[in-house]
Amino acid sequence: MREQYAVNVPSELEEFEQLRSYLVGHNMIQDTVVLMNKALKSEDKRVLFEGANATMLDIDFGTYPYVTSSNTVAGGICTGLGVPPSQIGTNIGIAKAYLTRVGEGFFPTELFCDLGADLQKRGHEFGATTGRPRRCGWIDAPMLRYA
């Protein structure tokens, strides 16, 4: 059976109007493909793209099925922002001194001891979306080289 919710329509519309006024006033709603490409063509601007997650969580290059739903490698700049590959200059990969993983999946260096729990606590290693504790382990040099 479907739940019923009480909605105050005039109140909701008033709140949406306030939000709309705020967003329009700050010019925050834009076509990001156009915005990025204008910035890239500008003589006086440099653009820094920041990725999230990790190579091994990439939908195409990661350890499927234990991946996220998007492209987390440098090519994700092209697919996610509509930036042509010819506009990407330097790529810099950054890694933590230890590995983490949320949920299931291959993790050969996982620490099942107090050190793993200590890394989790000191590093505030909990999933950003789910809040689930991250599994912690030593850095994996062959995987890092692949990434």
Side-chain angles (χ1 to χ4, degrees), residues 68-142:
T68 191
S69 61
S70 60
N71 294 107
T72 61
V73 295
I77 297 168
C78 303
T79 59
L81 293 172
V83 172
S86 61
Q87 292 297 309
I88 299 173
T90 303
N91 285 299
I92 300 171
I94 298 173
K96 291 190 288 192
Y98 59 94
L99 294 181
T100 59
R101 183 161 205 144
V102 173
E104 300 296 318
F106 187 66
F107 196 168
T109 64
E110 184 172 2
L111 292 165
F112 297 99
C113 59
D114 290 342
L115 181 57
D118 192 47
L119 282 173
Q120 183 186 78
K121 181 181 176 184
R122 288 177 186 247
H124 306 283
E125 296 296 352
F126 297 91
T129 302
T130 64
R132 290 187 297 171
R134 291 187 182 125
R135 298 157 50 201
C136 297
W138 299 119
I139 198 150
D140 182 342

